[in-house]
Amino acid sequence: MSEVPAAASKIVEWHQLLQVVYGSLAAAVGVMIAFSVTVVGGTRFAEARRQSRSGQAGVWAVVTGAGLAVCAGAIALGIVAVTAKT
Amino acid sequence: MHSDVILVLVIGTALAFDFTNGFHDTANVVATSISTRAVSPRIAIAMASLLNFVGAFVSLKVAATVASGIIDPKLVEHAPAIVFGGLIGAISWNVITWYFGLPSSSSHALIGGVVGAALAANGSRAAMSDGLLGKVVVPALVAPLLAFVVAAIAILICYSIVGRLRPGSVSSGFRAGQLVSGGMLALAHGTNDAQKTMGVMVLALVAHGDISSSKIHVPHWVVITAASAIALGTYAGGWRIIKTMGSRIIKMDSAQGFAAQGSGAAVILAASHVGFPLSTTHVISGGVMGAGAAKRVSAVRWGVAGNIVVAWLLTLPAAGAIGAAIYGVTRTFGANSEAGPIVVAVVILAGIAAVFARRVRRGSPLTAPGV
């Protein structure tokens, strides 16, 4: 390895920078997917209930609940990770 | 023991800077929630203010970086004029950019000012170039781009999932989600920005001899006062936003708002976790532009992005040069003289009042830079 890339890799804290890239990408995209599923589930649940399809409504209720739980879990995990003393 | 007058002056200036940081940034934090009508302005501002306060208690790693990772704290010992010069450099640059409408970063100004004053006092050995490059310059470049990419990916995935639903139900769902994403953004903003002021206050305490440079820590009263100052600034800043924000926001739907806020919050919180002092203004702008560009490239005001780049390039050196000059002026009154900082403070206050009065005469004195 030449001297310049070696110096750059020493100055730039790649490990921490990549942690920020991966962490923010996983958190934001993960929560977005989970919340989008929640919105779809909630909408379909309301439609199924209006049309008295109780079986389908139950399935969509579970999907909505699961999506919300993933969102809440991801946010809680994020706050715990930020407050943790490493 | 060193002058208590200078310490009080420096701490007061730091808290005033923190207040103006909150005041200046309220627009960025609450704009998305209000523009998509997720919440009323009154609730958005009150929530942002409260969560700014809470956020300041979440982590202290950014404060540690500012206090001990950018300039050598040993060289600040017995030299409060360095910290004072840095703060005045940052405030002066903020006022100049505000006057000309440049979307500059208060965080970069603060770091640039302190580094400039330290360089003037001790030469190149004062700056910890590894810390400055690795923890400030590189993350400052990466973070807005990261927020842009993350928000764009998030909104594209969202549209592919909710694509077949009626727009009304999608909007109402994401409006509810924005209560949380907006809250997380305010929390992240408080976490990263309040800590920068805490770091500078710690440097002032090192200079005064209250904290050892070899055992840096952040006292509780520093955390509480910095948290209160930024929260009050956010609350005070909000009321002008209600009047001015209507024409200043990029038109976006609630899913885009959720993506922009979520990506901004995620980037800022992840950076706070590893102690990177970011420009929250630039990150939030990156998220908004990413969410807008993914739907329609022409929806984004690319001129604003260009202004951000110009401001980004200018802020560190310009605030540094002013910080160095202010340090030089205070030194002419004597090494530890109280007269220097007092005279400079009076002159700067008069200058700010004059600039403010001139801007008032020109109109729109309280309009935020266009970010």
Side-chain angles (χ1 to χ4, degrees):
Chain A
M1 191 185 274
S2 72
E3 279 179 24
V4 173
S9 68
K10 199 177 168 189
I11 291 170
V12 179
E13 302 190 9
W14 291 112
H15 173 69
Q16 293 185 331
L17 202 57
L18 286 174
Q19 213 177 323
V20 174
V21 172
Y22 293 144
S24 51
L25 194 62
V29 174
V31 168
M32 192 63 167
I33 291 171
F35 197 74
S36 299
V37 169
T38 304
V39 170
V40 172
T43 307
R44 298 281 185 233
F45 167 74
E47 285 170 0
R49 255 187 58 169
R50 266 200 307 275
Q51 293 161 6
S52 305
R53 287 180 280 139
S54 54
Q56 276 188 16
V59 172
W60 285 118
V62 171
V63 170
T64 308
L68 276 178
V70 171
C71 289
I75 290 165
L77 196 68
I79 290 173
V80 169
V82 173
T83 52
K85 288 177 182 167
T86 48
Chain B
M1 190 59 205
H2 305 280
S3 169
D4 289 341
V5 174
I6 300 180
L7 179 68
V8 169
L9 206 55
V10 173
I11 296 289
T13 309
L15 290 173
F17 179 86
D18 203 23
F19 179 89
T20 56
N21 192 344
F23 187 92
H24 182 276
D25 285 4
T26 311
N28 305 321
V29 175
V30 302
T32 315
S33 295
I34 298 175
S35 70
T36 60
R37 297 179 185 177
V39 280
S40 70
R42 189 177 292 271
I43 290 174
I45 292 159
M47 213 171 88
S49 178
L50 179 69
L51 287 165
N52 263 197
F53 182 83
V54 174
F57 291 84
V58 165
S59 165
L60 291 174
K61 284 175 189 160
V62 174
T65 299
V66 173
S68 60
I70 293 167
I71 60 168
D72 187 349
K74 279 195 189 73
L75 299 176
V76 175
E77 277 181 341
H78 318 305
I82 294 176
V83 186
F84 178 77
L87 276 166
I88 296 295
I91 290 172
S92 304
W93 180 245
N94 274 352
V95 172
I96 291 166
T97 54
W98 167 77
Y99 184 82
F100 289 107
L102 267 176
S104 77
S105 159
S106 304
S107 311
H108 294 173
L110 185 63
I111 290 167
V114 171
V115 170
L119 287 174
N122 295 298
S124 59
R125 69 195 172 107
M128 298 165 81
S129 51
D130 289 9
L132 191 59
L133 276 172
K135 288 183 183 290
V136 178
V137 177
V138 174
L141 190 64
V142 170
L145 293 174
L146 179 62
F148 182 97
V149 171
V150 170
I153 294 172
I155 194 65
L156 288 176
I157 292 175
C158 164
Y159 285 152
S160 70
I161 295 174
V162 302
R164 289 180 186 176
L165 295 183
R166 281 183 295 109
S169 57
V170 174
S171 285
S172 58
F174 278 102
R175 270 188 203 138
Q178 276 195 280
L179 281 174
V180 178
S181 63
M184 290 300 288
L185 186 62
L187 187 89
H189 177 255
T191 300
N192 205 282
D193 275 9
Q195 284 192 69
K196 289 161 200 152
T197 306
M198 290 178 210
V200 171
M201 287 166 78
V202 168
L203 277 176
L205 293 169
V206 169
H208 190 251
D210 297 315
I211 293 177
S212 163
S213 62
S214 57
K215 216 175 170 182
I216 296 283
H217 68 279
V218 186
H220 292 308
W221 71 265
V222 168
V223 180
I224 293 166
T225 50
S228 305
I230 197 167
L232 285 172
T234 300
Y235 192 73
W239 299 112
R240 80 193 160 110
I241 302 302
I242 291 172
K243 292 180 186 165
T244 62
M245 73 187 321
S247 60
R248 298 199 152 261
I249 302 162
I250 298 170
K251 183 91 176 144
M252 55 169 51
D253 61 44
S254 57
Q256 285 174 302
F258 184 87
Q261 291 174 322
S263 61
V267 171
I268 296 167
L269 284 174
S272 304
H273 177 54
V274 296
F276 291 161
L278 297 179
S279 163
T280 49
T281 304
H282 292 182
V283 172
I284 296 167
S285 303
V288 168
M289 287 179 190
K295 188 175 182 184
R296 193 164 54 87
V297 175
S298 61
V300 178
R301 294 154 67 194
W302 293 104
V304 173
N307 286 344
I308 287 176
V309 173
V310 171
W312 187 90
L313 290 172
L314 286 178
T315 296
L316 279 172
I322 300 171
I326 297 292
Y327 174 77
V329 170
T330 55
R331 282 284 293 187
T332 59
F333 289 84
N336 282 316
S337 165
E338 294 170 356
I342 291 171
V343 168
V344 169
V346 170
V347 170
I348 291 291
L349 271 176
I352 290 172
V355 168
F356 188 81
R358 195 179 156 84
R359 197 76 166 87
V360 167
R361 278 199 299 272
R362 283 177 51 186
S364 301
L366 291 173
T367 301
V371 175

